[in-house]
Amino acid sequence: MATEIASAYIALTTKMPGVKKEIEGSLGEAEGVVEQAGRTSGKGWAGGLAVGIAAGAVLVTAAVTALGVKVVSSFGELEQNLGGSEAVFGEHAASVQKLGTEAYKTLGVSQSDYLSTANKMGALFQGSGIDQVRSLELTTGAMQRAADMASVMGIDMDVAMESVAGAAKGNFTMMDNLGVAMNATSVESYAASKGMKDWSFATATSAEKAEMAMSMFMDSTSQYAGNFAKEATETVSGSFGMLSASWEELIAGLGNKDADMTQLTANLANAIKAVIENVAPIVRNMLQSLPETIGTFFNEIGPVVEG
């Protein structure tokens, strides 16, 4: 969390020097109060009380400032990605935005991160000649399956999204991360298996290559469909991923006047509940096993020490 706040602070204040000035000014004022209180600390209980109040003021100011920086930064990114989805998907943007609100539990990413990848993939598909509606279908389907495969392969979600986004522009080198060996030859073989004996990677259009590659990816990994959603609630790593994404959603929502904060809060609460349900059995098992483990250790090591 400290690293995220520091990164947000640097990114925000670099782009908005005025914000940096305000933040540093407010902290400077609070620190000045502490110093002044410190000079009166030798004057009995009143001085000690002043120091305590001033110290609390610094902590509260720093916490509120850090949260404010994170909220502004997160909402700024979300706002940009929402606008990007409207530019890429036009009148169909609402549907991808809606999917983004569920992405914390279906893909383990925030709405902002979901839209960032979706916008990139949609633009790439459309750039190859695929129409807007079809690009949306390919994008959302491939992203969900990439998340499912990430949970199967045990890879980072960012890597999974990068892999499928690369495939959208014809770069298949990272698809190995998702359990699919994809290249010109394998795509041609897949086309042949579908009865398209004359289909050639060399002569196919960019749109045809993209369509065939995505079809191959979806068919080759069909048995893993829905795996992420299952792991999000039933495994430790999955529930922690859902927790992280729902927290990011809540932070961005604090800066959005149209956000449904009741729902975002409920999402976070459900994620915390999933974490507790998955972690609790592990802790219970540890506590039950610990006495026996310690006893066995001392029984085994005792003779060695005495000898």
Side-chain angles (χ1 to χ4, degrees):
M1 181 62 70
T3 302
E4 293 177 358
I5 291 173
S7 299
Y9 175 81
I10 292 171
L12 182 63
T13 55
T14 298
K15 297 177 182 178
M16 302 173 65
V19 173
K20 181 178 181 181
K21 184 177 179 180
E22 289 292 327
I23 292 171
E24 293 179 345
S26 63
L27 288 174
E29 291 176 8
E31 290 169 358
V33 173
V34 171
E35 291 176 4
Q36 180 63 36
R39 288 193 287 271
T40 66
S41 61
K43 300 179 180 180
W45 67 269
L49 179 61
V51 171
I53 293 174
V58 170
L59 291 174
V60 171
T61 301
V64 172
T65 298
L67 179 60
V69 169
K70 182 65 175 174
V71 168
V72 172
S73 177
S74 296
F75 176 66
E77 291 176 2
L78 174 60
E79 188 176 40
Q80 182 176 11
N81 290 325
L82 286 168
S85 68
E86 292 172 356
V88 173
F89 298 108
E91 63 183 18
H92 309 290
S95 62
V96 74
Q97 291 171 6
K98 178 64 169 62
L99 289 172
T101 64
E102 301 293 316
Y104 80 97
K105 64 180 178 181
T106 56
L107 285 84
V109 298
S110 66
Q111 181 187 26
S112 183
D113 289 341
Y114 179 87
L115 292 177
S116 177
T117 301
N119 294 344
K120 182 190 302 182
M121 289 186 65
L124 288 169
F125 282 134
Q126 290 172 35
S128 72
I130 295 174
D131 66 57
Q132 202 173 60
V133 174
R134 182 56 180 157
S135 74
L136 177 59
E137 295 171 349
L138 290 174
T139 294
T140 55
M143 286 179 64
Q144 182 61 66
R145 187 60 55 79
D148 292 334
M149 293 308 298
S151 66
V152 172
M153 306 296 288
I155 62 172
D156 187 80
M157 195 60 66
D158 289 339
V159 174
M161 293 300 113
E162 287 178 17
S163 300
V164 77
K169 61 180 177 181
N171 181 1
F172 307 135
T173 56
M174 293 183 67
M175 290 299 285
D176 284 351
N177 294 318
L178 303 179
V180 180
M182 188 177 290
N183 51 47
T185 301
S186 64
V187 174
E188 283 187 348
S189 296
Y190 171 75
S193 72
K194 292 296 182 179
M196 292 173 275
K197 305 294 185 181
D198 297 327
W199 194 93
S200 169
F201 194 89
T203 59
T205 65
S206 295
E208 290 169 342
K209 291 176 183 177
E211 285 271 11
M212 194 63 69
M214 289 300 104
S215 180
M216 175 182 172
F217 172 51
M218 298 298 283
D219 279 354
S220 300
T221 59
S222 59
Q223 68 267 40
Y224 304 112
N227 194 74
F228 181 87
K230 177 182 178 181
E231 290 203 353
T233 56
E234 297 181 6
T235 68
V236 173
S237 61
S239 58
F240 270 108
M242 185 167 67
L243 176 61
S244 177
S246 60
W247 171 251
E248 289 294 326
E249 286 274 270
L250 182 67
I251 291 297
L254 288 172
N256 183 3
K257 64 181 179 62
D258 297 321
D260 185 347
M261 293 308 299
T262 299
Q263 184 61 57
L264 293 178
T265 304
N267 293 346
L268 179 62
N270 288 333
I272 293 173
K273 179 182 177 183
V275 169
I276 292 172
E277 289 177 347
N278 287 310
V279 171
I282 298 173
V283 175
R284 282 197 298 269
N285 184 66
M286 179 192 72
L287 294 176
Q288 291 171 358
S289 302
L290 202 55
E292 181 181 351
T293 301
I294 294 174
T296 301
F297 173 78
F298 281 111
N299 288 337
E300 293 294 329
I301 202 67
V304 177
V305 174
E306 293 173 358

